[in-house]
Amino acid sequence: MDSDAINAFGSVFSALGTVGAFLVGFVLLRREQNREAERAEDMRRGQAARISAWVEMHRKPDGARELAFHIHNASDMPIYEVELPMPEGGDAEFVGLVPPGQTIRRPAPASWLRSYVDPEPVEIEFLDSAGRRWTRNEQGRLTSAAIEGGPHALN
């Protein structure tokens, strides 16, 4: 082998190494960007993930039993404009504000008694403390109202 061939081989090998290093660097950068985006999304959803709503029978002070909606805010901040859309198409039950760490209870419509068996989740819509609108459906799926059904749904 002459020196020109060795130099050419060395140049090709060096170029391949440079391209390989660039590709590895690009892949690592992309992974870090994805991890950062996931962390940002987790922070954005942090409060909303701590909100739940269900319907359950409870005993009133006079001993009578009543079916009631329960809205629980397990976060450190209040939630606002809380609504419980009615599945039969009626008006939504407007609750307003749910303070941090509290469970609010509201009587459920009498029509719900016909199908009630055990405590079950209900749909809820609310604003988090940053002013973002969220919906959690009966299956527990949390979606941002701005991206309804989009890639930002959280089970």
Side-chain angles (χ1 to χ4, degrees):
M1 268 183 131
D2 64 353
S3 65
D4 288 339
I6 292 174
N7 285 340
F9 179 75
S11 295
V12 168
F13 188 74
S14 175
L16 288 176
T18 301
V19 168
F22 173 76
L23 289 175
V24 168
F26 180 75
V27 167
L28 292 175
L29 175 65
R30 191 74 182 130
R31 282 185 187 168
E32 184 57 33
Q33 287 175 332
N34 288 341
R35 268 190 288 245
E36 191 61 36
E38 287 174 13
R39 277 192 292 271
E41 182 67 10
D42 287 346
M43 287 180 62
R44 189 176 77 84
R45 293 177 164 277
Q47 181 181 21
R50 292 180 171 93
I51 309 303
S52 57
W54 66 97
V55 64
E56 182 177 22
M57 194 69 72
H58 78 96
R59 195 165 299 281
K60 296 186 336 185
D62 65 2
R65 292 171 40 108
E66 175 183 58
L67 189 62
F69 295 116
H70 297 76
I71 302 100
H72 182 66
N73 178 0
S75 76
D76 295 332
M77 299 291 290
I79 56 172
Y80 307 91
E81 296 183 21
V82 177
E83 292 185 53
L84 302 169
M86 297 295 111
E88 61 265 3
D91 290 336
E93 175 74 20
F94 184 77
V95 176
L97 177 118
V98 178
Q102 292 192 22
T103 301
I104 301 294
R105 186 171 35 209
R106 294 285 191 272
S111 62
W112 282 59
L113 281 170
R114 288 190 300 268
S115 63
Y116 177 76
V117 179
D118 283 322
E120 59 186 271
V122 294
E123 184 174 341
I124 182 173
E125 295 177 5
F126 60 93
L127 288 178
D128 67 12
S129 60
R132 292 179 288 252
R133 180 156 294 283
W134 297 93
T135 299
R136 183 180 297 280
N137 70 11
E138 296 90 347
Q139 289 78 38
R141 185 180 176 102
L142 180 66
T143 53
S144 172
I147 336 170
E148 196 68 36
H152 299 283
L154 178 69
N155 290 324

Short mmCIF file of all heavy atoms in Angstrom, two decimals, residues 57-104:
data_model
loop_
_atom_site.label_atom_id
_atom_site.label_comp_id
_atom_site.label_asym_id
_atom_site.label_seq_id
_atom_site.Cartn_x
_atom_site.Cartn_y
_atom_site.Cartn_z
N MET A 57 -72.96 7.64 48.30
CA MET A 57 -74.00 7.77 49.30
C MET A 57 -73.34 8.17 50.63
O MET A 57 -72.28 7.67 50.97
CB MET A 57 -74.73 6.43 49.46
CG MET A 57 -76.03 6.50 50.21
SD MET A 57 -77.32 7.38 49.31
CE MET A 57 -77.73 6.22 48.03
N HIS A 58 -73.99 9.08 51.37
CA HIS A 58 -73.47 9.44 52.70
C HIS A 58 -74.66 9.68 53.62
O HIS A 58 -75.80 9.85 53.19
CB HIS A 58 -72.56 10.67 52.63
CG HIS A 58 -73.29 11.97 52.51
ND1 HIS A 58 -73.56 12.76 53.59
CD2 HIS A 58 -73.81 12.61 51.44
CE1 HIS A 58 -74.23 13.83 53.18
NE2 HIS A 58 -74.38 13.76 51.88
N ARG A 59 -74.39 9.68 54.90
CA ARG A 59 -75.43 9.87 55.90
C ARG A 59 -75.46 11.32 56.35
O ARG A 59 -74.44 11.89 56.71
CB ARG A 59 -75.19 8.95 57.09
CG ARG A 59 -76.39 8.82 57.99
CD ARG A 59 -76.28 7.65 58.95
NE ARG A 59 -76.16 6.35 58.33
CZ ARG A 59 -77.17 5.64 57.82
NH1 ARG A 59 -78.38 6.14 57.81
NH2 ARG A 59 -76.97 4.45 57.30
N LYS A 60 -76.65 11.93 56.27
CA LYS A 60 -76.82 13.32 56.71
C LYS A 60 -76.91 13.36 58.24
O LYS A 60 -77.09 12.32 58.88
CB LYS A 60 -78.10 13.91 56.09
CG LYS A 60 -78.01 14.00 54.57
CD LYS A 60 -79.13 14.67 53.84
CE LYS A 60 -80.46 14.76 54.47
NZ LYS A 60 -81.49 15.35 53.61
N PRO A 61 -76.77 14.56 58.84
CA PRO A 61 -76.83 14.66 60.31
C PRO A 61 -78.12 14.11 60.91
O PRO A 61 -78.12 13.60 62.04
CB PRO A 61 -76.71 16.17 60.56
CG PRO A 61 -75.97 16.70 59.38
CD PRO A 61 -76.40 15.84 58.23
N ASP A 62 -79.22 14.16 60.17
CA ASP A 62 -80.50 13.65 60.71
C ASP A 62 -80.63 12.14 60.55
O ASP A 62 -81.66 11.56 60.88
CB ASP A 62 -81.69 14.37 60.06
CG ASP A 62 -81.81 14.08 58.57
OD1 ASP A 62 -81.00 13.29 58.03
OD2 ASP A 62 -82.71 14.66 57.94
N GLY A 63 -79.60 11.48 60.00
CA GLY A 63 -79.62 10.03 59.84
C GLY A 63 -80.07 9.57 58.46
O GLY A 63 -79.89 8.41 58.12
N ALA A 64 -80.67 10.44 57.70
CA ALA A 64 -81.12 10.07 56.35
C ALA A 64 -79.90 9.88 55.43
O ALA A 64 -78.86 10.48 55.65
CB ALA A 64 -82.04 11.14 55.78
N ARG A 65 -80.08 9.05 54.42
CA ARG A 65 -79.01 8.82 53.45
C ARG A 65 -79.25 9.70 52.22
O ARG A 65 -80.38 9.90 51.82
CB ARG A 65 -78.94 7.35 53.07
CG ARG A 65 -78.46 6.51 54.23
CD ARG A 65 -78.57 5.02 53.98
NE ARG A 65 -78.22 4.58 52.65
CZ ARG A 65 -77.11 3.91 52.33
NH1 ARG A 65 -76.26 3.60 53.27
NH2 ARG A 65 -76.88 3.54 51.10
N GLU A 66 -78.16 10.23 51.68
CA GLU A 66 -78.26 11.12 50.53
C GLU A 66 -77.13 10.80 49.56
O GLU A 66 -76.00 10.57 49.97
CB GLU A 66 -78.12 12.57 51.00
CG GLU A 66 -78.08 13.59 49.88
CD GLU A 66 -77.86 15.00 50.40
OE1 GLU A 66 -76.85 15.24 51.08
OE2 GLU A 66 -78.72 15.85 50.12
N LEU A 67 -77.47 10.80 48.27
CA LEU A 67 -76.46 10.62 47.23
C LEU A 67 -75.84 11.99 46.97
O LEU A 67 -76.55 12.97 46.77
CB LEU A 67 -77.10 10.07 45.96
CG LEU A 67 -76.13 9.63 44.86
CD1 LEU A 67 -75.24 8.49 45.36
CD2 LEU A 67 -76.90 9.20 43.63
N ALA A 68 -74.50 12.04 46.98
CA ALA A 68 -73.84 13.34 46.84
C ALA A 68 -72.60 13.23 45.97
O ALA A 68 -71.93 12.20 45.91
CB ALA A 68 -73.45 13.89 48.20
N PHE A 69 -72.31 14.36 45.28
CA PHE A 69 -71.06 14.50 44.55
C PHE A 69 -69.99 14.91 45.56
O PHE A 69 -70.24 15.71 46.45
CB PHE A 69 -71.16 15.60 43.49
CG PHE A 69 -72.13 15.30 42.39
CD1 PHE A 69 -73.24 16.09 42.21
CD2 PHE A 69 -71.91 14.24 41.53
CE1 PHE A 69 -74.13 15.84 41.18
CE2 PHE A 69 -72.79 13.97 40.51
CZ PHE A 69 -73.91 14.77 40.33
N HIS A 70 -68.79 14.39 45.39
CA HIS A 70 -67.64 14.75 46.20
C HIS A 70 -66.55 15.26 45.26
O HIS A 70 -66.23 14.58 44.28
CB HIS A 70 -67.12 13.56 46.99
CG HIS A 70 -68.09 13.01 47.97
ND1 HIS A 70 -69.17 12.24 47.61
CD2 HIS A 70 -68.16 13.14 49.30
CE1 HIS A 70 -69.86 11.90 48.68
NE2 HIS A 70 -69.27 12.44 49.73
N ILE A 71 -66.00 16.42 45.54
CA ILE A 71 -64.91 16.99 44.76
C ILE A 71 -63.74 17.16 45.72
O ILE A 71 -63.84 17.91 46.69
CB ILE A 71 -65.27 18.35 44.12
CG1 ILE A 71 -66.51 18.20 43.22
CG2 ILE A 71 -64.11 18.88 43.30
CD1 ILE A 71 -67.76 18.65 43.88
N HIS A 72 -62.64 16.45 45.43
CA HIS A 72 -61.49 16.48 46.33
C HIS A 72 -60.31 17.17 45.66
O HIS A 72 -59.93 16.84 44.55
CB HIS A 72 -61.10 15.06 46.73
CG HIS A 72 -59.95 15.03 47.70
ND1 HIS A 72 -60.05 15.53 48.97
CD2 HIS A 72 -58.69 14.58 47.56
CE1 HIS A 72 -58.89 15.37 49.58
NE2 HIS A 72 -58.05 14.80 48.74
N ASN A 73 -59.75 18.15 46.37
CA ASN A 73 -58.58 18.89 45.91
C ASN A 73 -57.42 18.51 46.83
O ASN A 73 -57.30 19.04 47.93
CB ASN A 73 -58.84 20.39 45.95
CG ASN A 73 -57.63 21.20 45.53
OD1 ASN A 73 -56.58 20.66 45.20
ND2 ASN A 73 -57.79 22.51 45.53
N ALA A 74 -56.57 17.58 46.39
CA ALA A 74 -55.43 17.14 47.19
C ALA A 74 -54.19 18.00 46.96
O ALA A 74 -53.12 17.70 47.47
CB ALA A 74 -55.11 15.68 46.87
N SER A 75 -54.33 19.10 46.21
CA SER A 75 -53.19 19.96 45.93
C SER A 75 -53.02 21.02 47.02
O SER A 75 -53.83 21.13 47.93
CB SER A 75 -53.36 20.64 44.56
OG SER A 75 -54.29 21.69 44.63
N ASP A 76 -51.97 21.82 46.87
CA ASP A 76 -51.67 22.89 47.83
C ASP A 76 -52.26 24.23 47.43
O ASP A 76 -52.04 25.23 48.11
CB ASP A 76 -50.15 23.05 47.97
CG ASP A 76 -49.51 21.82 48.58
OD1 ASP A 76 -50.18 21.11 49.34
OD2 ASP A 76 -48.33 21.56 48.27
N MET A 77 -53.00 24.27 46.30
CA MET A 77 -53.59 25.51 45.81
C MET A 77 -55.07 25.27 45.51
O MET A 77 -55.47 24.14 45.22
CB MET A 77 -52.89 25.97 44.53
CG MET A 77 -51.40 26.26 44.69
SD MET A 77 -51.08 27.72 45.68
CE MET A 77 -51.66 28.99 44.59
N PRO A 78 -55.89 26.32 45.57
CA PRO A 78 -57.32 26.14 45.24
C PRO A 78 -57.52 25.89 43.75
O PRO A 78 -56.65 26.19 42.93
CB PRO A 78 -57.95 27.47 45.66
CG PRO A 78 -56.84 28.45 45.64
CD PRO A 78 -55.58 27.70 45.95
N ILE A 79 -58.67 25.31 43.42
CA ILE A 79 -59.09 25.21 42.02
C ILE A 79 -60.35 26.05 41.87
O ILE A 79 -61.09 26.26 42.83
CB ILE A 79 -59.31 23.75 41.56
CG1 ILE A 79 -60.33 23.04 42.45
CG2 ILE A 79 -57.99 23.01 41.50
CD1 ILE A 79 -60.73 21.66 41.95
N TYR A 80 -60.60 26.53 40.65
CA TYR A 80 -61.65 27.51 40.41
C TYR A 80 -62.61 27.03 39.33
O TYR A 80 -62.29 26.13 38.55
CB TYR A 80 -61.03 28.84 39.96
CG TYR A 80 -59.98 29.34 40.92
CD1 TYR A 80 -58.64 29.01 40.74
CD2 TYR A 80 -60.32 30.13 42.00
CE1 TYR A 80 -57.66 29.47 41.62
CE2 TYR A 80 -59.36 30.60 42.87
CZ TYR A 80 -58.03 30.26 42.68
OH TYR A 80 -57.08 30.71 43.55
N GLU A 81 -63.78 27.69 39.26
CA GLU A 81 -64.79 27.42 38.23
C GLU A 81 -65.04 25.92 38.07
O GLU A 81 -65.10 25.39 36.96
CB GLU A 81 -64.38 28.04 36.90
CG GLU A 81 -64.30 29.55 36.95
CD GLU A 81 -63.97 30.18 35.61
OE1 GLU A 81 -64.18 29.52 34.56
OE2 GLU A 81 -63.51 31.32 35.61
N VAL A 82 -65.19 25.24 39.19
CA VAL A 82 -65.40 23.79 39.19
C VAL A 82 -66.83 23.49 38.75
O VAL A 82 -67.78 24.07 39.26
CB VAL A 82 -65.14 23.20 40.59
CG1 VAL A 82 -65.43 21.72 40.61
CG2 VAL A 82 -63.71 23.50 41.02
N GLU A 83 -66.95 22.60 37.76
CA GLU A 83 -68.25 22.19 37.26
C GLU A 83 -68.29 20.68 37.11
O GLU A 83 -67.28 20.05 36.77
CB GLU A 83 -68.53 22.80 35.88
CG GLU A 83 -68.72 24.29 35.91
CD GLU A 83 -69.11 24.82 34.54
OE1 GLU A 83 -70.08 24.30 33.96
OE2 GLU A 83 -68.43 25.73 34.07
N LEU A 84 -69.47 20.12 37.36
CA LEU A 84 -69.70 18.70 37.14
C LEU A 84 -70.75 18.57 36.04
O LEU A 84 -71.94 18.74 36.30
CB LEU A 84 -70.20 18.03 38.43
CG LEU A 84 -69.28 18.16 39.64
CD1 LEU A 84 -69.98 17.71 40.90
CD2 LEU A 84 -68.02 17.35 39.41
N PRO A 85 -70.32 18.30 34.79
CA PRO A 85 -71.29 18.15 33.70
C PRO A 85 -72.21 16.95 33.96
O PRO A 85 -71.76 15.90 34.39
CB PRO A 85 -70.42 17.91 32.47
CG PRO A 85 -69.06 18.37 32.86
CD PRO A 85 -68.96 18.17 34.33
N MET A 86 -73.48 17.12 33.73
CA MET A 86 -74.45 16.05 33.94
C MET A 86 -74.50 15.14 32.71
O MET A 86 -74.63 15.64 31.59
CB MET A 86 -75.84 16.60 34.22
CG MET A 86 -75.95 17.42 35.49
SD MET A 86 -75.63 16.42 36.96
CE MET A 86 -74.08 17.08 37.49
N PRO A 87 -74.38 13.83 32.90
CA PRO A 87 -74.36 12.93 31.75
C PRO A 87 -75.68 12.89 30.98
O PRO A 87 -75.69 12.63 29.79
CB PRO A 87 -74.05 11.56 32.35
CG PRO A 87 -74.36 11.69 33.79
CD PRO A 87 -74.23 13.14 34.15
N GLU A 88 -76.79 13.17 31.64
CA GLU A 88 -78.08 13.12 30.92
C GLU A 88 -78.33 14.39 30.12
O GLU A 88 -79.43 14.60 29.61
CB GLU A 88 -79.24 12.85 31.89
CG GLU A 88 -79.43 13.91 32.96
CD GLU A 88 -78.74 13.57 34.27
OE1 GLU A 88 -78.06 12.54 34.36
OE2 GLU A 88 -78.87 14.37 35.22
N GLY A 89 -77.33 15.25 29.98
CA GLY A 89 -77.45 16.44 29.15
C GLY A 89 -78.05 17.64 29.85
O GLY A 89 -78.25 18.67 29.23
N GLY A 90 -78.34 17.55 31.13
CA GLY A 90 -78.88 18.69 31.87
C GLY A 90 -77.81 19.72 32.14
O GLY A 90 -76.67 19.62 31.68
N ASP A 91 -78.19 20.73 32.91
CA ASP A 91 -77.22 21.76 33.29
C ASP A 91 -76.13 21.15 34.16
O ASP A 91 -76.37 20.21 34.92
CB ASP A 91 -77.91 22.88 34.07
CG ASP A 91 -78.84 23.71 33.17
OD1 ASP A 91 -78.60 23.73 31.95
OD2 ASP A 91 -79.79 24.30 33.71
N ALA A 92 -74.93 21.73 34.07
CA ALA A 92 -73.82 21.29 34.91
C ALA A 92 -74.04 21.76 36.34
O ALA A 92 -74.66 22.80 36.58
CB ALA A 92 -72.51 21.83 34.36
N GLU A 93 -73.54 21.00 37.27
CA GLU A 93 -73.55 21.40 38.68
C GLU A 93 -72.35 22.31 38.89
O GLU A 93 -71.19 21.88 38.77
CB GLU A 93 -73.46 20.16 39.58
CG GLU A 93 -73.33 20.45 41.05
CD GLU A 93 -74.63 20.93 41.68
OE1 GLU A 93 -75.72 20.69 41.11
OE2 GLU A 93 -74.55 21.56 42.76
N PHE A 94 -72.59 23.59 39.18
CA PHE A 94 -71.50 24.54 39.38
C PHE A 94 -71.13 24.57 40.86
O PHE A 94 -71.97 24.77 41.72
CB PHE A 94 -71.92 25.94 38.92
CG PHE A 94 -70.81 26.94 39.02
CD1 PHE A 94 -69.79 26.96 38.09
CD2 PHE A 94 -70.77 27.86 40.06
CE1 PHE A 94 -68.75 27.88 38.17
CE2 PHE A 94 -69.74 28.78 40.16
CZ PHE A 94 -68.73 28.79 39.22
N VAL A 95 -69.86 24.35 41.14
CA VAL A 95 -69.38 24.34 42.53
C VAL A 95 -68.60 25.61 42.83
O VAL A 95 -68.67 26.13 43.93
CB VAL A 95 -68.51 23.08 42.79
CG1 VAL A 95 -67.93 23.10 44.19
CG2 VAL A 95 -69.33 21.82 42.54
N GLY A 96 -67.87 26.11 41.87
CA GLY A 96 -67.08 27.32 42.09
C GLY A 96 -65.68 26.99 42.53
O GLY A 96 -64.90 26.41 41.79
N LEU A 97 -65.34 27.31 43.78
CA LEU A 97 -63.99 27.14 44.30
C LEU A 97 -63.93 25.93 45.22
O LEU A 97 -64.84 25.70 46.02
CB LEU A 97 -63.60 28.39 45.09
CG LEU A 97 -62.24 28.32 45.76
CD1 LEU A 97 -61.34 29.40 45.19
CD2 LEU A 97 -62.38 28.49 47.25
N VAL A 98 -62.83 25.18 45.12
CA VAL A 98 -62.55 24.10 46.07
C VAL A 98 -61.20 24.42 46.69
O VAL A 98 -60.17 24.43 46.00
CB VAL A 98 -62.53 22.71 45.40
CG1 VAL A 98 -62.19 21.63 46.42
CG2 VAL A 98 -63.87 22.42 44.74
N PRO A 99 -61.17 24.71 47.99
CA PRO A 99 -59.92 25.07 48.66
C PRO A 99 -58.92 23.90 48.67
O PRO A 99 -59.30 22.75 48.53
CB PRO A 99 -60.36 25.40 50.09
CG PRO A 99 -61.82 25.67 49.98
CD PRO A 99 -62.32 24.81 48.88
N PRO A 100 -57.65 24.22 48.87
CA PRO A 100 -56.63 23.16 48.91
C PRO A 100 -56.86 22.21 50.07
O PRO A 100 -57.27 22.61 51.16
CB PRO A 100 -55.32 23.93 49.07
CG PRO A 100 -55.69 25.28 49.56
CD PRO A 100 -57.08 25.55 49.08
N GLY A 101 -56.62 20.92 49.81
CA GLY A 101 -56.71 19.90 50.85
C GLY A 101 -58.12 19.62 51.33
O GLY A 101 -58.28 18.99 52.37
N GLN A 102 -59.15 20.05 50.62
CA GLN A 102 -60.52 19.85 51.09
C GLN A 102 -61.35 19.04 50.10
O GLN A 102 -61.03 18.97 48.92
CB GLN A 102 -61.20 21.19 51.33
CG GLN A 102 -60.60 21.94 52.51
CD GLN A 102 -61.46 23.12 52.91
OE1 GLN A 102 -62.65 23.17 52.61
NE2 GLN A 102 -60.85 24.06 53.58
N THR A 103 -62.42 18.46 50.63
CA THR A 103 -63.40 17.75 49.83
C THR A 103 -64.73 18.48 49.99
O THR A 103 -65.20 18.66 51.11
CB THR A 103 -63.55 16.29 50.28
OG1 THR A 103 -62.27 15.65 50.16
CG2 THR A 103 -64.57 15.56 49.42
N ILE A 104 -65.30 18.90 48.88
CA ILE A 104 -66.59 19.59 48.87
C ILE A 104 -67.65 18.56 48.49
O ILE A 104 -67.45 17.74 47.61
CB ILE A 104 -66.59 20.74 47.83
CG1 ILE A 104 -65.51 21.76 48.15
CG2 ILE A 104 -67.95 21.39 47.72
CD1 ILE A 104 -65.72 22.52 49.43
#
